Amino acid sequence: MEEPLALEAVGVSKRYGDREALCGVALIARPGELHGLLGPNGAGKTTLMRVLLGLVRRDAGTVRLLGQALDSTASALPNGVAGFVETPAFYPYLSGRRNLSLLARLDDCARSRQNDRIDSALDKVGLAAQADDAVGGYSAGMRQRLGLAAVLLRRPRLLFLDEPTSSLDPAGARDVRAIARRLADEGTAVVLTSHDMVEVEELCTEITVIDRGRVAFSGSVATLRALAPAAIHVLHTSDDRAAFSLASERRGVKAKVSSADEGIELTAGIEALDAYVIALGRAGVAIRNLERRARSLESLFLELTGHDGGSEAPATAPCEVPDAARASLVVS
Amino acid sequence: MSVRGLVAVAGVECSKLAAQLKVRLLLAVCVAGPVAFAAAIRAQSSVPADTLFGRSVKESGFAVALVVLGFGALWVFPVLTSVVGGDLFSAEDRYGTWTTLLTRSRSRGEMFAGKLLTALGFSSIAVAAFAASSVAAGLLIVGPQPLIDLSGNVIAPATALRRVTLAWATVLPPAFGFTALAVLVSVATKNSAAGIGLPVVVGLTMQLYAFVDGPETVRRLMITSAFGAWHGLLAEPPYYRPLVQGTLVSATYFVVCVLIAYRVLRHRDIGGQR
């Protein structure tokens, strides 16, 4: 029997005045899945999260959370669904613990279990020592940790995290990733937005790329890797003209000269690049600098989102609300 | 919408209010204000003769409570009822906490009803504290002498206490109307200054209209007219028509403001592009 979906959003559209924020977006997450929602700034990731959390009315489409239909903004979020959007906000005149206690009351958490749950959540996010300080004195990173504690109180089976590591130091970000991974191991579907390809690649098993309110890619990280072009490097040499000429002759190496000062842009697999570098030495061309501009998945991400080094963004067609079939994933 | 959810939201809102200094200060002023007024009246030689029951403030403590009631109708009640109602919703916009609240297990309907209940509860408590303090200050500082009513009859202290209490109770319907107006402004503007200030400005404008020789029908439709409806309770025989009219007008303001406010909140995009 097929496992029920934790999240099923089909044909979600949202328009703000003349601007299409989302256009027929489909998003599916299964229990235990870490699903990355990627896209450049303004792509519609946060708007989609708001729609999925019932904070923003959708103009079209259906959303099912843990099997329950979400009645746009009217109904309460089902138990087991949790999340935050942007930097979580709390009452600054109350302590972190008091804020959590009030939120637990809104969740019908029994008072007898409330304190234990709050202590446990604070401990997990590393905020136990500052729990009794007023939130007004918290840094953005501490508020983000408190936001994570607040969602953990709901014992989520479907969790939405909007750029959960954006305000955290590297250690904090590592802790958050560990929490997300552990929750997924326990069967929670975690949907997280980011524009950090490395973070998503490291953490997630499934990825949806959104660009200008549309799904540009959806599928597994493995599928994305298979589609990914070679990494992009930028090369500066003692004789760029000779280096470019040599690159053009070699198989597996694509070269492009952007401008006189920017060097040569190389697209090549690691073996082809190694062979090319050796050939440059043999030809008496000295390498002054060779740096990676984009990892292979980053290259694909830039390609998918039309931001691959200065190319004009393609014009988007007017949003047509797709039927169920057309709302299926672009790549799956 | 469940009663359990409504109670949970109201409980959370009460906890938040209890933690705010301004709320405690306001209640303290409600209690201390009438005491200071009664003490000042006793200390000075003149009386506020141009105010209803003003001539009797040194002769009966009940008159003190009624003078405070008359003054409150003019200035205090619109402020008292707006301070919480006008801030309860817009404070969530100020702190950015709508997202935090609405991602728990409560619907917008429960959230709205719980917050409204809290605002009405605070208005009731503030009016009750103001009333209790006025009566107590009058009785303790001036004394429980019989009261001369608006028809010139002498009312025994026990009857006077009952009528004064009833007179204060008649303030509640327009107070709730003002609370609902403050809630509407708070929800619609997302601005606490507007939520608190606008109902006060509306109240003062209506009070000013009462001094103008305008159509009587318009005057009756002013919610501030209901603040003076208690006069009929202190006449012989008592008359209740202004009280009934005032209550109906207040109820209309309440229902209209609450329905519009709920509709606005229910259909609002939280944190989306405005």
Side-chain angles (χ1 to χ4, degrees), chain B residues 83-161:
Chain B
V83 163
V84 168
D87 184 50
L88 216 52
F89 289 84
S90 45
E92 307 297 350
D93 291 292
R94 190 167 68 248
Y95 296 130
T97 39
W98 275 122
T99 304
T100 310
L101 287 182
L102 293 174
T103 47
R104 313 311 292 189
S105 296
R106 304 273 74 97
S107 68
R108 289 194 191 195
E110 289 169 334
M111 216 40 100
F112 180 83
K115 278 179 173 282
L116 179 66
L117 193 65
T118 306
L120 295 176
F122 178 81
S123 295
S124 306
I125 289 170
V127 168
F130 202 33
S133 173
S134 301
V135 173
L139 296 182
L140 293 173
I141 295 173
V142 178
Q145 300 89 343
L147 176 72
I148 299 171
D149 72 10
L150 294 174
S151 307
N153 299 311
V154 177
I155 310 174
T159 311
L161 179 62

Side-chain angles (χ1 to χ4, degrees), chain A residues 206-252:
Chain A
E206 297 287 318
I207 291 182
T208 293
V209 179
I210 294 190
D211 184 41
R212 299 178 201 95
R214 290 167 163 80
V215 173
F217 171 87
S218 189
S220 67
V221 174
T223 309
L224 194 65
R225 281 202 185 102
L227 291 171
I232 298 171
H233 290 78
V234 175
L235 175 70
H236 292 269
T237 66
S238 58
D239 186 351
D240 282 353
R241 187 178 295 228
F244 180 77
S245 170
L246 194 60
S248 308
E249 293 164 9
R250 300 194 71 83
R251 290 180 64 186

Side-chain angles (χ1 to χ4, degrees), chain A residues 14 16 19 50 54-57 73-74 76-77 79 89-94 98 102 105-108 150 154, chain B residues 11-12 15-16 19-20 92 95-97 99-101 103-108 266-267 269-273:
Chain A
K14 175 67 186 175
Y16 291 113
R19 195 176 73 83
R50 289 185 189 281
L55 297 169
V56 164
R57 277 180 302 161
T73 55
L77 212 55
N79 285 329
F90 296 92
Y91 303 105
Y93 52 88
L94 299 176
R98 188 80 182 119
L102 296 183
R105 278 164 77 179
L106 292 177
D107 288 336
D108 293 332
R154 285 178 64 76
Chain B
V12 166
S15 299
K16 280 156 55 183
Q20 291 177 36
E92 307 297 350
Y95 296 130
T97 39
T99 304
T100 310
L101 287 182
T103 47
R104 313 311 292 189
S105 296
R106 304 273 74 97
S107 68
R108 289 194 191 195
R266 182 176 163 155
H267 293 287
D269 286 341
I270 302 294
Q273 182 178 318

Side-chain angles (χ1 to χ4, degrees), chain A residues 235-239 276-278 280-281 284-290:
Chain A
L235 175 70
H236 292 269
T237 66
S238 58
D239 186 351
Y276 172 61
V277 167
I278 291 165
L280 280 176
V285 179
I287 294 172
R288 291 181 175 159
N289 190 27
L290 176 65

Side-chain angles (χ1 to χ4, degrees), chain B residues 167-180:
Chain B
W168 273 91
T170 64
V171 163
L172 284 176
F176 289 167
F178 263 103
T179 305

